[in-house]
Amino acid sequence: MIEMKSVYKTYKRKDVTTEALKGIDLKVEEGDIFGVIGYSGAGKSTLVRLVNYLERPTDGEVIVDGQVLNHLSDSQLRAMKKQIGMIFQHFNLLESKTIFDNVAIPLVLAKKPKEEIKQRVMELLDFVGLREKAKSYPRELSGGQKQRVGIARALASNPKILLCDEATSALDPQTTQSILQLLKRVNQEYNITIMIITHEMSVIQEVCNRVAVMEAGEIIEEGSVLDVFGHPKHPTTKNFVKTVIHNSIPESVKRSLKKTGDSKVFRVEVKGEVASEPIVHQVMKAHDIEVNILFANMTEIQETTLVIMYLQIAGEASAIEKAVQFLKDKGAGVEEVVK
Amino acid sequence: MIEMKSVYKTYKRKDVTTEALKGIDLKVEEGDIFGVIGYSGAGKSTLVRLVNYLERPTDGEVIVDGQVLNHLSDSQLRAMKKQIGMIFQHFNLLESKTIFDNVAIPLVLAKKPKEEIKQRVMELLDFVGLREKAKSYPRELSGGQKQRVGIARALASNPKILLCDEATSALDPQTTQSILQLLKRVNQEYNITIMIITHEMSVIQEVCNRVAVMEAGEIIEEGSVLDVFGHPKHPTTKNFVKTVIHNSIPESVKRSLKKTGDSKVFRVEVKGEVASEPIVHQVMKAHDIEVNILFANMTEIQETTLVIMYLQIAGEASAIEKAVQFLKDKGAGVEEVVK
Amino acid sequence: NEESQGDSGEEKKDLVFGFGVGTYEEQFRNGILPILEEKGYNVEIKVFSQNMQVNPAMAEGAIDASVFQSTAYMEGINEELGIKMVRLAFSPGAPQSLRSVNHDSLDAVQDGSTVAVPNDPVNQERAVRILEDLGWVNVADGAGTTDFNLNSVTPAAYDVKFQVLDPAQILVSLKDVDFGVVNGNYIADAGMKISDALKIENTPEEHRIIVSILEEDLNTQWAKDVKEAYESPEFEEYILSQEKYDGFILPEAWENN
Amino acid sequence: MFETVITLEQFLQASIDTLYMVGMSLLIGSLVGIPLGIALVVTRPGGILENKIFYSILNPLINIVRSLPFIILMVAIIPFTRMIVGTSIGTNAAIVPLIIFISPFIARLVENSLLEVNPGIIEAAESMGATPFQIIWHFLLPEAFGSLILSITTATIGLIGATAMAGTVGGGGVGDLAIVYGYQRFDTFAMVTTVIILVIFVQIIQSTGNALARKARKE
Amino acid sequence: MFETVITLEQFLQASIDTLYMVGMSLLIGSLVGIPLGIALVVTRPGGILENKIFYSILNPLINIVRSLPFIILMVAIIPFTRMIVGTSIGTNAAIVPLIIFISPFIARLVENSLLEVNPGIIEAAESMGATPFQIIWHFLLPEAFGSLILSITTATIGLIGATAMAGTVGGGGVGDLAIVYGYQRFDTFAMVTTVIILVIFVQIIQSTGNALARKARKE
Ligand SMILES: Nc1ncnc2c1ncn2[C@@H]1O[C@H](COP(=O)(O)OP(=O)(O)OP(=O)(O)O)[C@@H](O)[C@H]1O
Ligand SMILES: Nc1ncnc2c1ncn2[C@@H]1O[C@H](COP(=O)(O)OP(=O)(O)OP(=O)(O)O)[C@@H](O)[C@H]1O
Ligand SMILES: [Mg+2]
Ligand SMILES: [Mg+2]
């Protein structure tokens, strides 16, 4: 649906040159909810702005829905953009129009009948919880309320592609949840392709099926969310994953960790069905060892459970070895942690 | 340091009236890092804008540093505001000035010598990682970079009070971390009082010692972070706490939960030192029961570990009862969960 | 412009001449200035695009002499401004003329014919006097000069409609009216002949263009020299040699040349 | 106390003439000037319909017209005026040069107002696939509305000053009365009265403009 | 082909006179008009130095001056002019009414430009405890700079038109040359030449203004 082929974007002003994108190759399939994460300034917004051609690539090709944007005429581009909804990082609402009119604009541009517009807009405002603000002006709204207006506006014309640039950054977790659920719903019901720029891993975890990690204008890791979250390779990715999958031992636990001579610490990772079995119990019952759960975390990614535990196992060397083998047989990933 | 006494704020335009604040009573002590959370539109920004009198209360008193703002003259108010740094939700950078000049402004207003300004600004830009953007203009920055400029600007004049309105909402977790560490440092080193508005519970968890939860213009819960996070009372608070302390059983685990006749599920909460003891192991060894950890989560709040587990315990009724008593004796909070 | 003035004791050699709309500045530059320079005068020429401003300038002492107005207007202004200007000499002046591009003769006039007249009081009065002469209108007694206005005009033989315009505009707008009274200087500048008109003003002495100065300067040497220059044969020769001054009313003093 | 030769009827007629001239030339001048101002903004380098050739013709053309003193302009276009209204004198004839005088002025003010619109708004419009016309109509103009009203107010008041010159071609009006009677005939009463009338006109226009602009800014 | 009576020297002198009159009255007019414009913005209801009385005196006062036709204004202030420059005629005398004419015009344009500054910027300034003067100097003016330059450009060009009327008091200048020779004497050559000179002036001013504004907008 969206494809980028070695795309470069360089900003120049006098002697200052910023290479925002350095050779991006990317493929977003139809029906994907594609997440893009990365540090501030990594080039995420620039990337997404290329997709609806608000920014022209310095080099390379952007292909949307099979059409190379660089080759389209102005009116073809406009027709294409009508299919693409965009939620802006800075909202970009019209100060001179009411909330109602702001959300109605894409429909007015599409010359929809008045009755239909009214109905659709009120439906959307209802959804984002701003029905009673219909007659207010943007300056009278809180930050999160403005962002919700932006979301409603982007959804108004039932686009085929939805680009979200930090669409939930100003929203509390509950509102974020409901927005994400909506995105998931429109994705499933209408097969809309969604590209989500965010710095909140939890957002990606919640709704994306694929994710790309950007750093300094490049994509450093890409893949299915389960893969990338389960086995992050690049240090940056690891840093990001850490924020949702708390897989490091809390400092306070580390400090009070008893350094008994014959205890060892293991990182145990369990995925899917096994996660609901009492494996800690089983390993303890079956072997002559003492197990202390230093750290445990369960996360749900794409409706699969991922458990990460740090177990301190004390006992004889052979008993510990057997216990580890038992866990491995159960399908768990086990790694010894060097203290 | 900051006190509000039954403060009301009502916005009126024609027939539309919005009661943004409805009787706020609040006390922030000197040296506090005080967090304010709440749903979008709850009145958080309005609250913080009253503290530096960008907004006048419709009713009630705002007292800062012992002085009732309503009674101050314009020049007294200005002197007061010089002591208060503010990070705006929408950044409010000057488009016509470079990043350097934007950060320098509070120092220029204070008529500091040029050399000092230069040094301080570069130091701040270094800190927020924008040294090489010193000569850029705001429109050339990414969202997160703008926010960091706003942070640097607010810190420039070493204020006694720092108001942060969603100061990290556009930042990735790493940058957020480093900003929060800085806030903590200035708070400790210079005894600065900080008020943080956020919708990210993790921010509060990381740096705040006290927190207030707002809903629909009212403070519905207030207290030390450990108390509020450990025992949220109001449903809204519970919703918020849930987002950082994952204390509900994942859906997938629930589904695959074996409904063996004699097993029971308990929510076990362990705080502080006890958290690093192998209590699950101990309870298992000491009693004839089978324990399955349905869910476990460790969180660090204010450098204390909080462990929340959902344990499925199978065994004879009396054995289970004894095990529960054992846990309680160890200092854990135990509650049975009705399936 | 800050020269001392009116000091008859000393020889004053620096003069400032003010001119309004018209050909008088050109006449002066080509015909009078050489004579005065010969006599050692240093003359500055100031041209005002609004006649209205010349006399206040003289009252203020910014100019020593002016060539643009008629005796009647000068006397009216003396009263308005409370100063005393006097006539030093006559300048060759152009008479107004009644013209038309839409009609070949005065007979075409009828009730409702439009006649363009200048908007300033002096030229307007002169214009109306031409029509009065023709018997087209009546002018009330005591209509005034410096504050003349059309409210003192009533229909006589014809009920003509006046179109009040900027004097410079009348010639270019003749197409849009039946008749128009055009100041002579515009005819001269447009390269036309005054004698081509349907009717030429029989300019009374009080409406002829004069060189005016303050009364207190009347006996100064420079005033005498200026008067002499305006009445000199050299000046007369120059004026007569220029085709554009055909039809101008010439100073009677020249008859002595 | 004061003596005047002007009749009440003349005052009334002059007021009507002024209103008529200002109204007509403002109306038509806006219809010409606003599109020109929009054209300047959209065809300028970086504009939504960037067009070097068009811009580099229009921009100096507007300057040329603006550089002409009103009276010169009036005379220069007499043949054109005659073609349009059939005569070169009278109130209607005065309106033609007034329009040509005010249009480029309005164009410049409109240009300045539109340039102040937040570029993010234009981006939002482009991202919706709005046509250039839609961008102008649904985004640029509404966002600049408050500023545009103040600009038009400024232009209107400038126009009142310019109508005083309309007397040159027999256009009449209050300003002309002030010049012809107050100035040329030393009629102090006429002068004071006309000035008062002008002040009232300007006051009404400015207050209306300010109020509308305030409303447009949603204050 | 063309015949003219104007000498090259007259053209030069006229050009110098125009530049002098425009330059001086722009300079002083800006020094008066910009503060007035600022005063309008800061004292208006909701402004940073809200002052009902001051605003409700200044606002109509500016309107009154703006409503006077230039020629009337010029005559009305002759005593004042004489007090200031010692004479009521000549180039210096022309500058006084030009200043009084242009100042309120600049004030209105400045007002319009400043009102477009993002209110968030003012809030940021207030939150830093900036004094009203600092708010104006460090926040309002820099943020509105691009727009202000265009406003001053517009005013300057308006001024060139007004200097043509300056001939009324013997101020001279190119516009006056155009009127006295081109208009009053049907000297086509003079007319065309003066118009060309004016066009060149205006073109230079507008290009400079546009370039500066573009730079100020950091484009
Ligand atoms: N100027 C205003 N005029 C009218 N209503 C306003 C104005 N400013 C804020 N409000 C309303 O007051 C309420 C509280 O707004 P506030 O900005 O304090 O919310 P908030 O808690 O900061 O929300 P967010 O997390 O979305 O930023 C909202 O309903 C908002 O619409
Ligand atoms: N118009 C511009 N001119 C110059 N540099 C720019 C411009 N726009 C963006 N940049 C630079 O390009 C880089 C990438 O910016 P971009 O907005 O894509 O970052 P981002 O990943 O969206 O960051 P954030 O999470 O902070 O929004 C940044 O270093 C930024 O400063
Ligand atoms: Mg971004
Ligand atoms: Mg807020």
Side-chain angles (χ1 to χ4, degrees):
Chain A
M1 199 65 176
I2 303 171
E3 202 178 337
M4 293 202 176
K5 287 188 181 162
S6 62
V7 166
Y8 288 79
K9 176 73 196 182
T10 309
Y11 293 104
K12 272 205 192 93
R13 186 178 54 84
K14 277 193 248 154
D15 43 328
V16 191
T17 304
T18 311
E19 288 191 312
L21 296 180
K22 312 174 197 162
I24 298 287
D25 285 288
L26 187 82
K27 202 160 179 172
V28 180
E29 302 293 343
E30 191 170 343
D32 269 354
I33 304 189
F34 193 97
V36 180
I37 52 163
Y39 294 146
S40 166
K44 308 181 294 294
S45 294
T46 308
L47 182 81
V48 80
R49 286 158 58 82
L50 283 166
V51 175
N52 64 356
Y53 230 54
L54 285 179
E55 214 82 71
R56 266 127 234 253
T58 311
D59 196 19
E61 277 187 350
V62 180
I63 303 163
V64 178
D65 211 2
Q67 295 184 284
V68 183
L69 295 190
N70 318 35
H71 300 164
L72 294 186
S73 72
D74 279 3
S75 70
Q76 283 173 317
L77 262 179
R78 278 200 292 274
M80 172 68 76
K81 286 177 181 176
K82 283 217 162 75
Q83 307 292 326
I84 308 179
M86 170 126 181
I87 302 168
F88 287 88
Q89 189 166 11
H90 299 303
F91 322 147
N92 290 348
L93 304 181
L94 280 83
E95 291 292 340
S96 59
K97 295 197 191 247
T98 61
I99 300 314
F100 182 96
D101 289 338
N102 264 286
V103 176
I105 264 203
L107 302 169
V108 171
L109 294 185
K111 306 205 172 66
K112 292 272 190 269
K114 260 204 168 153
E115 260 317 302
E116 190 185 324
I117 293 181
K118 187 159 181 194
Q119 198 191 322
R120 176 93 181 117
V121 171
M122 289 319 284
E123 181 188 314
L124 284 161
L125 287 181
D126 250 349
F127 172 72
V128 295
L130 292 175
R131 175 179 265 272
E132 80 280 14
K133 296 278 180 193
K135 283 182 187 162
S136 295
Y137 289 92
R139 76 178 52 186
E140 296 164 353
L141 296 195
S142 77
Q145 288 167 339
K146 281 185 208 168
Q147 192 161 53
R148 285 182 270 162
V149 176
I151 293 169
R153 182 175 71 177
L155 291 172
S157 57
N158 291 315
K160 267 165 64 181
I161 298 178
L162 190 62
L163 307 175
C164 313
D165 194 353
E166 309 277 6
T168 56
S169 67
L171 297 179
D172 58 88
Q174 281 66 39
T175 316
T176 299
Q177 266 299 325
S178 68
I179 299 287
L180 293 181
Q181 290 316 317
L182 172 77
L183 292 186
K184 226 165 175 167
R185 214 178 70 208
V186 293
N187 166 258
Q188 280 160 4
E189 284 179 21
Y190 306 103
N191 198 31
I192 289 178
T193 308
I194 303 182
M195 213 168 153
I196 294 184
I197 306 291
T198 185
H199 57 263
E200 294 168 297
M201 283 300 278
S202 59
V203 169
I204 302 228
Q205 173 187 4
E206 198 79 42
V207 292
C208 296
N209 62 334
R210 295 178 62 76
V211 62
V213 185
M214 288 190 71
E215 187 167 57
E218 289 176 288
I219 292 183
I220 52 170
E221 201 159 342
E222 206 218 306
S224 87
V225 173
L226 210 58
D227 284 349
V228 173
F229 275 44
H231 300 94
K233 290 191 198 78
H234 196 281
T236 303
T237 316
K238 282 184 184 152
N239 267 336
F240 271 104
V241 170
K242 204 170 67 183
T243 61
V244 277
I245 301 179
H246 305 278
N247 56 4
S248 65
I249 311 171
E251 281 306 310
S252 52
V253 174
K254 249 189 207 160
R255 276 199 301 274
S256 61
L257 188 63
K258 285 177 214 146
K259 282 172 190 158
T260 45
D262 47 359
S263 85
K264 285 181 172 177
V265 177
F266 296 88
R267 180 183 189 278
V268 180
E269 188 187 313
V270 193
K271 232 185 280 183
E273 279 301 303
V274 199
S276 52
E277 277 183 43
I279 56 165
V280 174
H281 176 85
Q282 290 166 359
V283 78
M284 243 154 77
K285 286 266 149 142
H287 306 84
D288 186 22
I289 49 169
E290 194 170 319
V291 178
N292 182 14
I293 302 172
L294 293 180
F295 175 90
N297 187 287
M298 286 192 189
T299 328
E300 201 159 353
I301 297 171
Q302 295 281 304
E303 314 202 338
T304 309
T305 308
L306 175 69
V307 180
I308 289 166
M309 291 181 286
Y310 281 80
L311 302 179
Q312 183 186 26
I313 306 183
E316 284 182 15
S318 64
I320 295 180
E321 207 166 296
K322 272 187 198 146
V324 168
Q325 194 53 49
F326 174 88
L327 289 171
K328 282 187 178 162
D329 291 347
K330 280 277 179 188
V334 185
E335 267 173 72
E336 189 174 349
V337 179
V338 184
K339 280 186 273 190
Chain B
M1 200 66 177
I2 304 170
E3 202 180 335
M4 294 202 177
K5 288 188 180 160
S6 61
V7 166
Y8 287 80
K9 177 73 196 181
T10 310
Y11 294 104
K12 271 208 190 94
R13 187 178 53 84
K14 276 191 250 158
D15 43 329
V16 191
T17 304
T18 311
E19 289 190 316
L21 297 179
K22 311 178 198 158
I24 297 288
D25 286 290
L26 187 79
K27 203 162 181 169
V28 180
E29 301 294 344
E30 192 170 344
D32 269 355
I33 304 189
F34 193 97
V36 180
I37 52 164
Y39 295 145
S40 165
K44 306 182 295 293
S45 295
T46 308
L47 181 80
V48 80
R49 288 157 57 83
L50 283 167
V51 175
N52 64 356
Y53 231 55
L54 286 179
E55 213 84 69
R56 267 127 232 255
T58 310
D59 196 17
E61 277 186 352
V62 181
I63 303 163
V64 178
D65 211 1
Q67 296 186 281
V68 183
L69 295 190
N70 318 34
H71 300 164
L72 294 186
S73 71
D74 279 1
S75 69
Q76 283 173 316
L77 262 180
R78 277 199 293 274
M80 172 67 78
K81 286 179 182 175
K82 283 216 164 70
Q83 308 290 328
I84 309 179
M86 170 127 180
I87 302 169
F88 286 89
Q89 189 167 12
H90 299 304
F91 322 147
N92 290 348
L93 304 181
L94 279 83
E95 291 291 340
S96 59
K97 297 198 191 250
T98 60
I99 299 315
F100 182 97
D101 290 337
N102 263 287
V103 176
I105 263 205
L107 302 170
V108 171
L109 295 185
K111 303 203 175 66
K112 293 272 189 264
K114 261 206 170 153
E115 261 318 300
E116 189 185 324
I117 292 181
K118 189 161 179 194
Q119 199 192 321
R120 175 93 181 117
V121 171
M122 289 320 283
E123 182 189 312
L124 284 161
L125 286 182
D126 252 348
F127 173 74
V128 296
L130 292 176
R131 176 179 262 272
E132 79 282 13
K133 297 278 180 195
K135 285 182 186 161
S136 295
Y137 288 92
R139 76 178 53 185
E140 296 163 353
L141 298 193
S142 78
Q145 288 168 340
K146 281 186 208 169
Q147 192 160 54
R148 284 182 272 161
V149 176
I151 293 169
R153 182 175 70 178
L155 290 171
S157 57
N158 292 315
K160 268 165 64 181
I161 297 177
L162 189 62
L163 308 175
C164 314
D165 194 354
E166 309 276 7
T168 57
S169 66
L171 297 179
D172 56 86
Q174 282 68 37
T175 315
T176 299
Q177 266 298 324
S178 67
I179 299 288
L180 294 181
Q181 289 317 315
L182 173 79
L183 293 185
K184 226 167 176 166
R185 215 178 68 208
V186 295
N187 167 256
Q188 280 159 6
E189 285 178 22
Y190 306 103
N191 200 30
I192 290 178
T193 309
I194 303 181
M195 210 166 156
I196 294 183
I197 306 291
T198 184
H199 57 263
E200 295 167 298
M201 283 300 278
S202 59
V203 169
I204 302 222
Q205 173 186 5
E206 199 79 42
V207 293
C208 296
N209 64 334
R210 294 178 61 75
V211 62
V213 185
M214 290 191 69
E215 188 168 58
E218 289 176 287
I219 292 182
I220 52 169
E221 201 157 344
E222 205 217 309
S224 86
V225 172
L226 212 58
D227 284 350
V228 174
F229 275 45
H231 301 94
K233 292 191 197 79
H234 197 280
T236 302
T237 317
K238 282 186 185 154
N239 266 336
F240 271 102
V241 170
K242 204 169 65 181
T243 61
V244 276
I245 302 180
H246 304 279
N247 58 3
S248 66
I249 311 172
E251 282 305 311
S252 50
V253 176
K254 247 188 208 160
R255 276 197 301 275
S256 59
L257 187 65
K258 283 177 215 146
K259 282 174 190 158
T260 45
D262 46 3
S263 86
K264 285 183 171 177
V265 176
F266 295 91
R267 180 182 187 279
V268 180
E269 188 185 313
V270 192
K271 233 185 279 184
E273 280 301 301
V274 199
S276 54
E277 278 182 45
I279 54 164
V280 174
H281 175 87
Q282 290 165 358
V283 77
M284 243 155 80
K285 286 266 149 150
H287 307 85
D288 187 25
I289 49 167
E290 192 169 321
V291 178
N292 184 14
I293 302 173
L294 292 181
F295 174 89
N297 186 287
M298 286 193 188
T299 328
E300 201 160 353
I301 298 170
Q302 296 280 305
E303 314 202 338
T304 309
T305 309
L306 176 70
V307 180
I308 289 166
M309 289 181 287
Y310 281 81
L311 302 179
Q312 181 186 27
I313 305 182
E316 284 184 12
S318 65
I320 293 179
E321 208 166 296
K322 274 187 197 145
V324 168
Q325 194 53 48
F326 174 86
L327 289 171
K328 282 186 178 161
D329 291 347
K330 280 277 176 186
V334 185
E335 270 174 70
E336 187 175 349
V337 179
V338 183
K339 280 187 273 193
Chain C
N1 303 346
E2 292 297 306
E3 298 126 282
S4 66
Q5 44 108 31
D7 192 340
S8 43
E10 248 176 78
E11 282 279 289
K12 180 176 156 88
K13 289 291 184 190
D14 292 327
L15 301 179
V16 185
F17 268 69
F19 298 90
V21 176
T23 54
Y24 314 108
E25 183 250 355
E26 197 184 331
Q27 293 173 8
F28 181 86
R29 195 184 289 282
N30 296 328
I32 305 291
L33 192 58
I35 303 174
L36 291 179
E37 279 175 344
E38 189 111 323
K39 289 187 175 156
Y41 288 97
N42 183 14
V43 183
E44 189 187 334
I45 294 171
K46 271 212 167 303
V47 184
F48 294 78
S49 53
Q50 300 255 331
N51 287 344
M52 281 299 300
Q53 293 298 321
V54 186
N55 287 322
M58 171 151 336
E60 201 181 294
I63 57 177
D64 300 305
S66 70
V67 188
F68 80 102
Q69 64 189 339
S70 65
T71 314
Y73 183 69
M74 180 183 74
E75 278 164 1
I77 291 292
N78 275 343
E79 235 164 83
E80 289 287 351
L81 296 183
I83 55 173
K84 193 86 189 95
M85 293 179 291
V86 293
R87 176 178 77 207
L88 181 65
F90 283 102
S91 170
Q96 288 186 342
S97 49
L98 183 68
R99 316 180 78 88
S100 174
V101 293
N102 293 323
H103 305 295
D104 295 331
S105 106
L106 294 174
D107 300 340
V109 68
Q110 54 186 0
D111 284 350
S113 287
T114 49
V115 182
V117 295
N119 62 5
D120 66 292
V122 178
N123 285 312
Q124 197 171 78
E125 192 212 338
R126 288 168 65 183
V128 170
R129 295 290 175 194
I130 295 176
L131 306 184
E132 191 188 25
D133 271 0
L134 289 173
W136 293 3
V137 299
N138 287 325
V139 180
D141 290 338
T145 295
T146 54
D147 59 353
F148 181 85
N149 67 78
L150 291 179
N151 292 338
S152 20
V153 181
T154 47
Y158 302 100
D159 188 4
V160 296
K161 244 184 80 200
F162 290 106
Q163 186 72 57
V164 181
L165 297 175
D166 188 67
Q169 199 67 38
I170 298 176
L171 190 56
V172 286
S173 293
L174 275 181
K175 265 193 203 166
D176 304 310
V177 289
D178 292 311
F179 304 95
V181 181
V182 185
N183 291 359
N185 56 291
Y186 296 116
I187 304 294
D189 281 326
M192 300 164 71
K193 281 209 166 88
I194 289 176
S195 47
D196 289 347
L198 296 178
K199 164 98 179 150
I200 301 175
E201 173 190 27
N202 179 16
T203 316
E205 190 183 278
E206 55 165 7
H207 283 325
R208 288 171 49 194
I209 302 303
I210 58 169
V211 179
S212 43
I213 59 170
L214 290 173
E215 190 180 37
E216 60 200 48
D217 290 333
L218 200 52
N219 293 318
T220 58
Q221 186 56 46
W222 66 261
K224 285 176 188 149
D225 289 339
V226 170
K227 183 176 164 74
E228 202 180 305
Y230 265 93
E231 292 173 353
S232 69
E234 293 97 312
F235 185 49
E236 180 182 10
E237 204 174 299
Y238 162 72
I239 294 295
L240 295 180
S241 72
Q242 299 290 310
E243 206 179 322
K244 71 193 292 190
Y245 301 130
D246 264 9
F248 272 45
I249 305 163
L250 305 177
E252 272 126 34
W254 289 0
E255 285 160 17
N256 309 327
N257 284 341
Chain D
M1 202 178 85
F2 286 118
E3 272 177 53
T4 187
V5 294
I6 316 189
T7 60
L8 182 64
E9 198 189 323
Q10 271 177 298
F11 271 120
L12 281 180
Q13 186 59 43
S15 302
I16 292 169
D17 286 346
T18 296
L19 290 180
Y20 177 69
M21 283 190 289
V22 170
M24 284 300 287
S25 41
L26 181 68
L27 183 75
I28 304 175
S30 300
L31 290 179
V32 177
I34 294 176
L36 285 181
I38 293 170
L40 280 174
V41 172
V42 298
T43 63
R44 79 199 300 258
I48 57 169
L49 282 175
E50 182 168 342
N51 188 329
K52 276 222 173 80
I53 297 172
F54 185 85
Y55 181 76
S56 59
I57 291 174
L58 182 61
N59 195 39
L61 197 71
I62 285 179
N63 289 343
I64 290 173
V65 179
R66 285 208 63 211
S67 61
L68 300 181
F70 182 65
I71 199 160
I72 301 288
L73 176 78
M74 206 159 57
V75 176
I77 63 158
I78 279 181
F80 176 72
T81 306
R82 206 172 272 144
M83 205 178 84
I84 302 287
V85 294
T87 173
S88 71
I89 57 175
T91 313
N92 283 320
I95 289 174
V96 178
L98 281 173
I99 291 169
I100 294 181
F101 165 76
I102 205 67
S103 301
F105 183 51
I106 291 180
R108 283 280 175 234
L109 294 175
V110 167
E111 180 190 23
N112 198 354
S113 294
L114 294 185
L115 284 179
E116 288 304 298
V117 171
N118 173 6
I121 299 292
I122 316 288
E123 284 203 340
E126 286 185 335
S127 83
M128 293 177 202
T131 61
F133 173 79
Q134 286 178 324
I135 294 182
I136 293 165
W137 186 251
H138 292 289
F139 296 81
L140 263 185
L141 292 181
E143 284 299 280
F145 201 56
S147 178
L148 282 176
I149 288 173
L150 287 190
S151 294
I152 297 293
T153 307
T154 299
T156 311
I157 292 170
L159 206 45
I160 289 189
T163 57
M165 301 296 292
T168 314
V169 291
V174 181
D176 184 46
L177 219 55
I179 291 175
V180 170
Y181 287 89
Y183 172 60
Q184 292 187 333
R185 291 176 171 78
F186 307 100
D187 187 332
T188 317
F189 179 80
M191 179 85 111
V192 171
T193 320
T194 48
V195 166
I196 290 174
I197 295 179
L198 287 179
V199 168
I200 292 172
F201 278 180
V202 169
Q203 210 62 35
I204 291 173
I205 292 168
Q206 187 76 46
S207 312
T208 315
N210 280 355
L212 287 177
R214 225 166 240 282
K215 218 174 150 196
R217 283 178 210 275
K218 317 292 175 204
E219 278 176 14
Chain E
M1 203 180 89
F2 285 121
E3 273 175 54
T4 186
V5 294
I6 316 189
T7 61
L8 182 64
E9 199 190 322
Q10 272 179 298
F11 270 120
L12 281 178
Q13 186 58 46
S15 301
I16 292 170
D17 286 348
T18 295
L19 290 180
Y20 176 71
M21 284 190 289
V22 170
M24 285 300 287
S25 42
L26 181 67
L27 183 75
I28 304 174
S30 300
L31 289 179
V32 177
I34 295 177
L36 285 181
I38 293 171
L40 280 174
V41 172
V42 298
T43 63
R44 78 201 301 260
I48 56 169
L49 282 174
E50 181 167 343
N51 187 328
K52 275 225 174 78
I53 297 170
F54 185 87
Y55 180 78
S56 61
I57 291 172
L58 182 62
N59 195 38
L61 198 70
I62 286 180
N63 288 343
I64 289 172
V65 179
R66 286 210 62 211
S67 63
L68 300 181
F70 183 66
I71 198 160
I72 301 287
L73 175 76
M74 204 159 56
V75 176
I77 63 158
I78 279 180
F80 177 72
T81 305
R82 201 175 282 139
M83 207 177 80
I84 301 286
V85 294
T87 173
S88 72
I89 61 162
T91 313
N92 282 318
I95 289 174
V96 179
L98 281 174
I99 291 169
I100 294 182
F101 165 76
I102 205 68
S103 300
F105 183 49
I106 290 179
R108 283 279 175 234
L109 293 177
V110 166
E111 180 191 24
N112 197 353
S113 293
L114 294 184
L115 284 178
E116 288 305 300
V117 171
N118 174 5
I121 299 291
I122 317 289
E123 285 205 340
E126 287 185 335
S127 83
M128 293 177 202
T131 61
F133 174 79
Q134 287 177 325
I135 295 183
I136 293 165
W137 185 252
H138 292 289
F139 296 81
L140 261 184
L141 292 181
E143 284 297 281
F145 201 55
S147 178
L148 282 176
I149 289 174
L150 288 190
S151 294
I152 298 293
T153 307
T154 298
T156 311
I157 292 173
L159 206 45
I160 290 190
T163 58
M165 300 296 290
T168 310
V169 290
V174 181
D176 187 43
L177 219 56
I179 291 175
V180 171
Y181 290 90
Y183 173 63
Q184 304 270 19
R185 298 194 185 158
F186 314 107
D187 185 332
T188 316
F189 179 79
M191 177 88 112
V192 171
T193 320
T194 47
V195 166
I196 289 174
I197 295 178
L198 288 176
V199 167
I200 292 172
F201 279 0
V202 169
Q203 208 65 34
I204 291 173
I205 293 168
Q206 186 75 46
S207 311
T208 314
N210 280 356
L212 287 176
R214 222 166 242 281
K215 217 173 149 197
R217 282 179 210 274
K218 316 293 174 202
E219 278 177 14

